[in-house]
Amino acid sequence: MRNPHAGRPIPPEVTDQEIAAALEDLSVPALLMACVHLVETEDQRRAILDGPLRPQGLFLNEYQGYMSPEDQSAARAFALEVITAWRERGCPEPEPLPTSLLHEMMAWLACDVVGDEYVPMVLEELALDGADSRAPAPMAGASAYPVVVIGCGMSGLLAAIRLQEAGFPFVVVEKNAGPGGTWLENRYPGARVDVGSHFYSYSFEPADHWTEFFSRQPELQAYFERVADERGIREHVRFGVEATAATYDDEQGTWTVTLDDGTDLVGRAVVCAVGQLNRPFVPDVPGEFAGPAFHTARWPDDVDLTGKDVVMVGAGATGFQVAPAIADQVRSLTVLQRTAQWMFPNPGYHDAVGPGVGWAIRHLPFYGRWFRFLTLWPGTDTGLAAAKVDPAWEPQQQSVSEVNEMVRLMFTEWITSQITVDGDADPDLVAKVVPPYPPTAKRTLQDNGSWLRTLTRDNVELVRAGVSRLEADAVVDSDGVRHPADIVVWATGFRANDFLVPMTVTGRGGLDLHEHWGARPRGHLGITVPGFPSFFMLYGPATNLASGGSIILASECEVAYVLGCLRMLVEAGGGSIEPTVAAYDDYYERTQAEVKTMVWSSPYIGHGYYQDASGEVHGLNPWRLVDYWAWTRDPDPADFEVR
Ligand SMILES: Cc1cc2nc3c(=O)[nH]c(=O)nc-3n(C[C@H](O)[C@H](O)[C@H](O)COP(=O)(O)OP(=O)(O)OC[C@H]3O[C@@H](n4cnc5c(N)ncnc54)[C@H](O)[C@@H]3O)c2cc1C
């Protein structure tokens, strides 16, 4: 069978001009790497890799490697010759390239050294050999281990796909009417992903359909719907029912999952994929507002903002997307934001994907894979260095290390450039929009200038305050100023530190998970907890990524690990599997020690974002993705007890 990434043969009726037109839409560096696969001899490969047409640098979301327009056009002309010659040969499947050469190609695209330890992870993610090596092999005996999956967002759907491949009987329960989780619920105007879609998609699914580089919510929801349908998962899901409790029966070695429709499901394992950002947080504010008021994750389909005075409370990742999307519709928009947000320059944030991209992913061998590398690599682990605190660096209020200071200067310049008119930036506005805390301490937002442009509109006001009281027709801010409102939007985020709520989870001997955790939710690798046999969490404690990477990659690592644990259980013919207390405690202590060396724990952030009420951080993964990937590849039997 032809490698699915090796390109479907180009139909004979496609003209050279049509191919040339498609190439105009492509990333030239990724195109040249496709050419390395397409040429026939070692000399031709060397001519590409050693030649003058090459990227000058790699920056997140800059896909042309800073190549000059002349070099880009020369490279496209060269690629056209290579592609037409390949077509004349009948579009044969390219020979596999040696790992050493693939490693060189990674470094060529990255314009930097790619450490040896990253090569296996990148190869697995790119699947250049056409093999989905994270897919579990069918397991003899799996049929005796029914599994209940709670949640059918990106993670639960992924777990279902892998359980099906391995041969486990499974049922998924999902409180919503369809799959997609985050991308079904967050239907607010402007909702879109901020990790490039060609990376924010399952590694084993085609990515030739995205119409924008950072897809909007409807396209993301449609993606998860389609994957659920095509993979035959939908018929295993009970939509519209919420799991209220999961209880382990010591004697039977089974879990009973209680549903809010009065029924139960019984399984020998539970995969809990309820998300970290699924329960909206709305502050408890005195007073009552008479008009429509809703959280951004509960945006009513029928609300009409036309000509209305809207007060939006909060402007983190979500409010930042909402404001530009509604500003021209409303009569006035007042945004209450306690602290400014750091923004990452991304001029192409709203750009459409040209039709040539989908064509190239379908027809040019490995183009899509190398394009995935371009979106993956600059966001993988590089941001972590900028988040690490150098205790000797001063002043810590402003930045936490030399690298962090460089990031601060770069971001400050970007923000200031957006509000500079005729060479001058209004110092009051600069003070208002340049954050007073170190960069990357809170989620850094992707920015193409639309937020600051929105703030300069006559009908938009940014108020640097919180909310203190509601009145029937107004919101009163923390400085006592009254803002008249027809509609209140709560862009106040999620209960990110309250894991697995409001479910009750009861393990061995009646142990309650939330009581066991207290204020410190945790899991071995964020996945398993002693005393909770064969209970696995996805996107659980200490698995969120604050410094780049995609949660889909993290979930693919976690699900591979869960399937590895289940394999251990099945192969041993055991009743249950759980981590040792030693492994669990050790991971927690090491992770907490590491988290405390990161900017997210900084006491100078002002308002806890990742921090809980006592300043601790339990949601974030402080480790390099390559380490987390390596640790989750295969569970270490020494970390587990199979009973
Ligand atoms: C607005 C927004 C933007 C984001 N942007 C990005 C991004 O750009 N890049 C990125 O990597 N990540 C992003 N994230 C994080 C995002 O949550 C993850 O990428 C991913 O969608 C998580 O998938 P999940 O399945 O783990 O969780 P979720 O998508 O939250 O899905 C959890 C599912 O479980 C269901 N559920 C919960 N409790 C129960 C219960 N008791 N019974 C039954 N069903 C239940 C929910 O209904 C939901 O369908 C964003 C999150 C938000 C909120």
Side-chain angles (χ1 to χ4, degrees), residues 392-408:
W393 181 261
E394 283 183 354
Q396 290 270 324
Q397 287 89 330
Q398 173 174 301
S399 54
V400 296
S401 68
E402 191 175 348
V403 190
N404 192 256
E405 175 64 9
M406 275 161 51
V407 173
R408 193 184 72 82

Side-chain angles (χ1 to χ4, degrees), residues 150-156 173-176 180-183 185-186 188 192-195 200 241-243 273-279 318 443 494 503 538-539 549-552 555:
I150 307 175
C152 195
M154 175 278 292
S155 304
V173 278
E174 167 54 59
K175 68 177 165 56
N176 292 330
T182 291
W183 303 110
E185 294 192 17
N186 289 271
Y188 58 81
R192 70 170 77 225
V193 77
D194 61 14
V195 171
Y200 190 83
V241 276
E242 178 159 350
V274 296
Q276 245 187 64
L277 305 174
N278 185 253
R279 302 289 167 168
T318 295
R443 191 179 161 102
F494 298 88
M503 250 190 330
L538 301 179
Y539 199 18
S550 130
I551 300 299
I552 297 191
S555 282

Side-chain angles (χ1 to χ4, degrees), residues 329-415:
Q329 220 188 325
V330 299
R331 181 166 62 190
S332 73
L333 172 64
T334 307
V335 182
L336 303 187
Q337 189 196 43
R338 290 182 304 188
T339 43
Q341 293 281 358
W342 283 111
M343 303 168 213
F344 191 98
N346 181 3
Y349 188 34
H350 293 174
D351 282 2
V353 173
V357 174
W359 180 86
I361 294 174
R362 285 188 289 280
H363 293 287
L364 290 189
F366 308 109
Y367 173 78
R369 297 283 105 185
W370 289 111
F371 189 66
R372 190 175 182 97
F373 178 81
L374 280 186
T375 44
L376 168 162
W377 185 254
T380 298
D381 293 347
T382 42
L384 214 53
K388 189 104 182 157
V389 175
D390 170 1
W393 181 261
E394 283 183 354
Q396 290 270 324
Q397 287 89 330
Q398 173 174 301
S399 54
V400 296
S401 68
E402 191 175 348
V403 190
N404 192 256
E405 175 64 9
M406 275 161 51
V407 173
R408 193 184 72 82
L409 294 175
M410 180 183 78
F411 287 177
T412 303
E413 194 181 312
W414 167 255
I415 294 170

